[in-house]
Each structure stands twice: as structure tokens, then as C-alpha cells.
Amino acid sequence: RHEYDSASTHVVMPWLRRTEKFLCACAAGKWILREDYLQASDAAGSWVDEEAYEWGTQPSDVDNEAELGNDRLLSGACQYWRQQAETTGKKAFENQDVALLGAAQAGALSVVRAAIEAGGGRVHVVKTRRSVRDVPVEQCSLVVCADDAHDIARSVSARCNVPVVSCGYVMDMLSRSGRVAMDSYAISL
């Protein structure tokens, strides 16, 4: 199965890629494991302890990422978000309201929507400038803007003092263990 399943407790990946499934699993604080977890469990006849098979626990994980051209941070993100969820009891976007500006069914915005929802957030989609008044943007802690929705962003920023960022902010925040500066993703209006 290629889609993220919110009912899953573990995600097994042969290699790390910044896919929707990966971002959703990080946002939800799920175990993200290497394939050898399944082989070890099969050999043991029962599920084995996950920690030894979690991406980011082996030095070879970083080498694997370098070969694939990843930024060497994805494997660290797996542990970071799972441990955050375990220690705080909260997912990445737990109880946050986030406004998405643009057509949320297409491209990067649909991936961001799925990740925010997997991370326990509530998504409010604003497709047109006219529909801004129908969404409680004042309650939102973040506004994510598609590339073609800057006119909507101007309407939103006129109503409230909420950061307006590109889709890349959410994707990078999740894949880099939360270590990104929001300012560099801010949409200039």
C-alpha cells in the first residue's frame, strides 16, 4: 500500500524519501522502520523490539540517505517526531488550526493537508478571496499558502496577524526535526 493509513502503528520503508506517507508518519509520531524489521520479526516468530530497526539508529542509515541524495536529515526526523509524541503525548500539529490557501486537492498543498491532519491538526481550506470570511482564520496558528494563492494571502493577512508561509515550511519542518526558521518560508505580500 502506498498511501498513509492513519490506523497504522508502524511504517516500513526500504529507503527514506520525503513522500506523503513519510511526512504523515512523522507528523503522527509513528514508528518508521527499515525493512529488516520484518525479516527479524519473521525469523523470531513474533514482533521484535522496534528500536534497533528504526531509521536513524544505524550509522549506515546516513550513508543510505547520502546515496539517495537526501539531505541526511530524514532519518533523524523519524526518531525525533516519534520521541516527541511519546514524551509530550502530542502529535506535531495537535489541536492546531491551520488555514490552507489555494486548491487543497492538488500538488504540495494536498500533501501538507494530509500531514497536518495526520499530526492532529484541523485544516481550514480557503480556495478564494471571497471564502476567507467563511473560515476562522483568527483562530489559526499558521497559514500555508499555495504558490498561486498570494491574492488570498493578502486578504487573510488583512484580517489577522498570523504567519503566512509556503508549503515548503511544513514539509521541511517535518523532515528536519522541526529545525527550520519560519522566516525563510514567509510569503511576502
Side-chain angles (χ1 to χ4, degrees):
R1 224 180 128 159
H2 296 289
E3 298 90 34
Y4 172 74
D5 181 355
S6 62
S8 68
T9 56
H10 299 65
V11 173
V12 177
M13 301 182 85
W15 55 83
L16 291 180
R17 300 252 170 135
R18 197 169 81 162
T19 62
E20 181 176 322
K21 183 187 283 189
F22 172 82
L23 293 170
C24 288
C26 284
K30 306 277 177 136
W31 284 99
I32 303 176
L33 307 170
R34 294 185 310 276
E35 279 187 320
D36 55 344
Y37 170 73
L38 296 176
Q39 296 156 347
S41 295
D42 186 45
S46 65
W47 297 115
V48 297
D49 183 55
E50 295 93 339
E51 251 176 79
Y53 302 93
E54 184 172 34
W55 276 100
T57 58
Q58 303 295 317
S60 61
D61 293 347
V62 174
D63 296 337
N64 178 316
E65 286 189 73
E67 285 176 29
L68 292 169
N70 292 337
D71 60 16
R72 304 173 71 97
L73 298 170
L74 298 181
S75 59
C78 300
Q79 282 185 302
Y80 175 82
W81 291 111
R82 182 190 53 75
Q83 290 172 348
Q84 284 291 109
E86 281 182 5
T87 57
T88 66
K90 294 182 179 181
K91 299 175 183 178
F93 297 98
E94 193 77 31
N95 295 320
Q96 291 183 38
D97 286 284
V98 179
L100 299 184
L101 311 182
Q105 272 57 338
L109 208 56
S110 71
V111 172
V112 168
R113 178 182 188 154
I116 291 167
E117 289 173 343
R122 290 177 296 279
V123 172
H124 306 279
V125 178
V126 182
K127 292 182 182 178
T128 65
R129 282 188 7 206
R130 185 171 284 158
S131 65
V132 169
R133 65 177 173 261
D134 301 329
V135 174
V137 291
E138 300 84 7
Q139 297 173 18
C140 294
S141 57
L142 183 65
V143 176
V144 180
C145 183
D147 291 338
D148 62 350
H150 289 214
D151 60 325
I152 303 171
R154 283 188 278 285
S155 297
V156 168
S157 68
R159 280 190 54 197
C160 61
N161 188 23
V162 176
V164 179
V165 296
S166 67
C167 293
Y169 171 73
V170 172
M171 293 179 179
D172 286 351
M173 182 199 76
L174 291 170
S175 59
R176 295 182 180 176
S177 306
R179 292 178 240 144
V180 294
M182 188 182 287
D183 299 355
S184 54
Y185 299 88
I187 303 288
S188 56
L189 303 172

